[in-house]
Amino acid sequence: TRRGDELGDLSNEFNEMGHKLAELESLKDSFLAKITHDLRSPLSRLRGRLEAAARTQGDATTYRAAIDRAVSDVDDVMRLFNSLLRISQIEAGARRAAFQIVDAAALVRDVGELYEPVAEERRIAIRVQAPEACPIQGDSSLLSQAIANLVDNAVKYTPSGGTVEIDAMMAEGAVSIRVADSGPGIPMELRQKVVQRFYRLDDSRSTPGHGLGLALADAVARLHGGELTLSEREP
């Protein structure tokens, strides 16, 4: 009933709980469909290569090449599962036990140095601005992975001759880490979707990846009491 009595309130709560369960069921089905799709390609390649190797009367070099390609496909599947496992652990708060004082500025400099050779190959300039220590209570490994995911995306989608900037600074008692690039950006209406697991923009489907990089970065930010925000550089 709508009378506002105890039974009515209880029934409304049950209705709301039912709607939430239905939403969770829909998300679970969508998640399973996406992970099945992402697993089918590397597993199909793996099966095809092993079958071709079994039918081929080749020498040790031929078999070695087939094995190397098969191992590469298995590694691709393992990376997918490891990323999913890491996100699940983060969302469950299981990684807080590894928290300690970490210098975010040092992490930013390390990631910038790591990606310099990759960026140089594509004629992209990486500029790092992190002159002062930025202490934060956190997980060094997860923070490095989150920053690396953002920089990897920036380098991957910035045209040749562009720039990628990585900054770390203290702002009002909190640490701010910024990765900016001169790439095409993400449309406003899709910025909430790109942090969902397996979501990829149409333009990025031809590039390697599973659509988990931003989802992991978002989870790491929330684990540390922060947030991942996506905005334009104007332009």
Side-chain angles (χ1 to χ4, degrees), residues 151 207 211 213 230:
V151 175
T207 59
L230 304 174

Side-chain angles (χ1 to χ4, degrees), residues 53 56-67:
T56 301
Q57 296 296 323
D59 55 15
T61 302
T62 302
Y63 288 126
R64 170 55 62 185
I67 290 171

Side-chain angles (χ1 to χ4, degrees), residues 48-126:
R49 285 168 177 167
L50 291 176
E51 286 181 340
R55 293 194 302 267
T56 301
Q57 296 296 323
D59 55 15
T61 302
T62 302
Y63 288 126
R64 170 55 62 185
I67 290 171
D68 288 344
R69 288 193 295 268
V71 169
S72 177
D73 289 332
V74 172
D75 286 343
D76 193 29
V77 175
M78 291 301 297
R79 279 192 293 271
L80 171 61
F81 276 111
N82 286 336
S83 294
L84 287 171
L85 178 61
R86 179 167 276 199
I87 292 173
S88 297
Q89 289 174 336
I90 293 168
E91 291 180 341
R95 297 293 297 251
R96 285 197 177 92
F99 274 26
Q100 57 184 345
I101 298 297
V102 179
D103 183 4
L107 296 182
V108 162
R109 290 193 292 268
D110 289 344
V111 172
E113 187 176 337
L114 177 68
Y115 275 89
E116 272 182 0
V118 181
E120 193 173 323
E121 281 184 15
R122 302 191 52 174
R123 295 181 54 249
I124 295 170
I126 287 190

Side-chain angles (χ1 to χ4, degrees), residues 200-211:
R200 305 191 75 196
L201 298 174
D202 291 338
D203 293 344
S204 66
R205 295 189 185 278
S206 59
T207 59
H210 297 291

